[in-house]
Amino acid sequence: MPLIYQLASIGLLLSLISHVAQSGSPDSQQLSSQCQACSAIAAAFQRGLERTARDNFGGGNTNWEETRLGTYALSETRLVDITDRLCKDKDNEMDGVTSSECHAMLEKIEEDIEKFWFGAFKANPTSASLRDSVCVNGTAACCAYGRWGPECAPCPDCSGGRGDCNGNGTRTGTGACDCHPGYSGAQCSDCSAKYYRANGESNGECKACSPACRSACTGPLATQCDQCADGYETVQQADGAACVDIDECQTRSPCSGPRSFCENLPGSYRCGDCDRACSACSGPGQVGCTACSPGFEPATTGSGCQDVNECSPDSPHCTGPYERCVNL
Ligand SMILES: *[C@@H]1O[C@H](CO)[C@@H](O)[C@H](O)[C@H]1NC(C)=O
Ligand SMILES: *[C@@H]1O[C@H](CO)[C@@H](O)[C@H](O)[C@H]1NC(C)=O
């Protein structure tokens, strides 16, 4: 075999091997969607339990049936009533799990669900959890809540809900705390930049500083900034020094060009182009004109410019026999 073909077939072999290795160990994306599907089924199962809580065998829930078949509550009939609707119940929001993903997972765990029903559930109907028994222990797709990653390691304490454990309840993730806005630190116990600790307590809530502050403050007001943000300046006011917005349009006319205008914004400004009706303007649109372009005249409403109707009845244009005047 020529060398080139040998190399090509080795390459093919290598790519086959790596492909097999990949499909042999499901990647984390797959694991996380399996866990999601199993968790959604477990949640639907819980709703099914609630839906069927008052049902019986459909009529004579007699002593004879109770002794003969066991009560409906623990019966195969109820199990079937619940599992039949796990993937098709319209009330069951499947939390981003498609119907085909649901059916694929259900097929995989159907036997485990049955084992759960006649085992853990029968032994302890009030506290047995399908998610724990089937999704965590059975398919190994999930971790128990409060655990994360391939080894289901315990999640850190994310300050009682100020953050979420990344990978919480799944075989994936980083196990770090993803802090909610305003919180930072490994356990989300610190306030982020531009937030302050409310109530003065060491573990109080973190709340947003005024947008006038650069990075830190002692409270929500523009008088409570450590330093002023860009576009703000310190101004002495009756209640003390405050960070006040700089009107860049007034202080330094930053928008050059004859047909542009300057608009002051909190902390900044914006330059815009005048409307075509204006030969000069102080703001957007025809109402922003301070002088009119040819073909436009000062508006009768008192501000800005409006189109001149060259076709008005006393117009000198288009007076020929077959002419019609169209105002543009
Ligand atoms: C899951 O498996 C562990 C270890 O085998 C066992 O201790 C635990 O009781 C099981 N949990 C459930 C809910 O079946
Ligand atoms: C993990 O998720 C459960 C269920 O949603 C939640 O109760 C728990 O607080 C979460 N734990 C962390 C550390 O995020």
Side-chain angles (χ1 to χ4, degrees), residues 290-310:
T290 52
C292 301
S293 300
F296 294 85
E297 59 191 5
T300 50
T301 55
S303 66
C305 299
Q306 68 188 22
D307 184 32
V308 174
N309 183 1
E310 288 88 356

Side-chain angles (χ1 to χ4, degrees), residues 65-230:
E65 274 171 332
E66 278 182 26
T67 46
R68 188 93 195 274
L69 305 168
T71 59
Y72 174 78
L74 298 174
S75 66
E76 177 136 29
T77 311
R78 187 184 183 197
L79 174 63
V80 171
D81 284 350
I82 295 171
T83 44
D84 268 359
R85 282 171 64 177
L86 284 179
C87 287
K88 45 186 145 148
D89 192 342
K90 286 220 170 55
D91 301 337
N92 288 342
E93 300 159 31
M94 274 298 169
D95 313 318
V97 174
T98 67
S99 166
S100 68
E101 284 170 334
C102 184
H103 280 105
M105 178 52 69
L106 187 56
E107 199 171 307
K108 219 164 141 179
I109 63 177
E110 215 155 15
E111 241 170 74
D112 293 343
I113 292 179
E114 204 170 314
K115 269 190 213 140
F116 163 77
W117 185 257
F118 293 112
F121 183 76
K122 195 167 184 179
N124 204 340
T126 46
S127 70
S129 151
L130 181 80
R131 189 181 187 279
D132 285 348
S133 293
V134 173
C135 304
V136 177
N137 276 8
T139 68
C142 299
C143 297
Y145 285 125
R147 291 177 171 270
W148 71 279
E151 315 292 338
C152 291
C155 280
D157 170 22
C158 302
S159 295
R162 288 177 176 181
D164 301 311
C165 168
N166 186 298
N168 186 5
T170 74
R171 295 264 165 174
T172 61
T174 63
C177 292
D178 293 333
C179 300
H180 295 170
Y183 297 94
S184 60
Q187 305 194 342
C188 307
S189 50
D190 304 330
C191 290
S192 308
K194 299 189 182 182
Y195 282 78
Y196 68 97
R197 187 77 70 180
N199 310 329
E201 297 163 29
S202 62
N203 64 348
E205 238 181 288
C206 297
K207 296 194 165 169
C209 294
S210 158
C213 305
R214 180 176 296 279
S215 61
C217 64
T218 57
L221 304 175
T223 53
Q224 294 173 303
C225 301
D226 283 10
Q227 280 184 311
C228 296
D230 288 341

